[in-house]
Amino acid sequence: MNFIDELKFDEKGLIPVVTQDFENNQVLMLAYANREAVEMTVEKGTVHYFSRSRNELWHKGETSGHFQHVKEMFYDCDADALLIKVIQDGAACHTGKRSCFYRNIKGEEVL
Amino acid sequence: MNFIDELKFDEKGLIPVVTQDFENNQVLMLAYANREAVEMTVEKGTVHYFSRSRNELWHKGETSGHFQHVKEMFYDCDADALLIKVIQDGAACHTGKRSCFYRNIKGEEVL
């Protein structure tokens, strides 16, 4: 059975994806995928998401060149979240930061 | 300004939380918090979530003893996701596994 058939997509057809640096385990970003995005990620070997703001398939890196090359993929105990370990070209964040989680709760930029 | 005022909770009042092991950077779980859960996490120093299945505040570890002690908290560029680094007592997963992401997409239990 294909793992995609086990995944629980939400009422919008989405599943959250945590993307992690394969080399140093830094959490790079959290975004969402629909079924097509998961299929494309597996097929192409680079991470695809579903952009909720643009309402379309989003091949990460297509405009920035900052592709995410899949090394390992996991799903959680409830099958309602994905974890993808990647080799990150350039920066994961659109701000140019390596990780989107660059601010701590004091508002300090720590990365 | 309190960082909580900057967070973007979704239409259900929730924000996804990625919980990561402070010591080895393993991603332990993904769950959701509402505003109260974030406030309690900051106030108590142990991670609180909102249980979508039970529809109530969920103090992780309250029944299992597997508390998550907050070391660092971050929010992402869009302020719609949290990353919390913790010292994990026992296992993060209700299955007894250290991490909820113990299966790879081949269905193999890898952790």
Side-chain angles (χ1 to χ4, degrees):
Chain A
M1 187 180 185
N2 189 309
F3 83 100
I4 298 177
D5 294 328
E6 294 193 43
L7 297 180
K8 292 178 197 138
F9 295 92
D10 69 13
E11 67 279 7
K12 294 176 184 166
L14 301 178
I15 190 167
V17 180
V18 180
T19 312
Q20 187 178 25
D21 190 307
F22 177 74
E23 292 172 329
N24 65 9
N25 279 335
Q26 182 180 29
V27 172
L28 297 171
M29 58 187 284
L30 184 148
Y32 297 85
N34 62 0
R35 188 183 176 95
E36 183 188 10
V38 178
E39 289 171 345
M40 292 292 281
T41 296
V42 173
E43 184 184 330
K44 302 290 185 184
T46 49
V47 184
H48 292 64
Y49 303 99
F50 184 82
S51 169
R52 297 180 303 168
S53 55
R54 295 193 306 273
N55 202 40
E56 64 181 19
L57 187 72
W58 166 29
H59 184 197
K60 176 77 177 170
E62 199 167 48
T63 53
S64 64
H66 296 168
F67 293 101
Q68 297 177 321
H69 305 274
V70 177
K71 295 294 287 183
E72 294 178 312
M73 284 179 73
F74 308 88
Y75 59 108
D76 76 350
C77 51
D78 295 327
D80 60 4
L82 287 171
L83 172 66
I84 308 182
K85 294 196 181 188
V86 302
I87 301 292
Q88 173 71 55
D89 290 344
C93 188
H94 72 285
T95 62
K97 302 276 187 185
R98 180 85 177 161
S99 163
C100 293
F101 293 95
Y102 58 84
R103 284 177 299 189
N104 68 17
I105 62 170
K106 296 172 189 161
E108 298 164 340
E109 293 198 5
V110 289
L111 298 178
Chain B
M1 186 181 184
N2 190 308
F3 83 99
I4 298 176
D5 293 327
E6 294 193 43
L7 297 180
K8 291 178 198 139
F9 295 92
D10 69 13
E11 66 280 7
K12 294 175 183 165
L14 301 177
I15 191 168
V17 179
V18 180
T19 312
Q20 187 177 24
D21 191 306
F22 177 73
E23 291 173 329
N24 66 9
N25 279 334
Q26 183 180 28
V27 173
L28 297 170
M29 57 187 285
L30 185 148
Y32 297 84
N34 62 0
R35 187 183 176 97
E36 181 187 10
V38 179
E39 289 171 347
M40 293 291 283
T41 297
V42 172
E43 184 185 329
K44 302 289 186 186
T46 49
V47 184
H48 293 63
Y49 302 99
F50 183 83
S51 169
R52 297 180 302 168
S53 56
R54 296 193 304 275
N55 203 40
E56 63 181 19
L57 187 72
W58 166 29
H59 184 196
K60 177 76 178 171
E62 199 167 49
T63 55
S64 65
H66 295 168
F67 293 102
Q68 297 176 323
H69 305 275
V70 177
K71 295 295 285 183
E72 295 178 311
M73 284 179 72
F74 308 88
Y75 60 108
D76 76 350
C77 51
D78 295 328
D80 62 2
L82 286 171
L83 172 67
I84 308 182
K85 293 195 180 189
V86 303
I87 301 292
Q88 173 71 55
D89 289 346
C93 189
H94 72 285
T95 61
K97 301 277 186 182
R98 179 85 177 161
S99 164
C100 292
F101 293 95
Y102 58 84
R103 285 175 299 189
N104 67 18
I105 61 171
K106 295 172 191 163
E108 298 164 342
E109 293 197 6
V110 289
L111 298 176

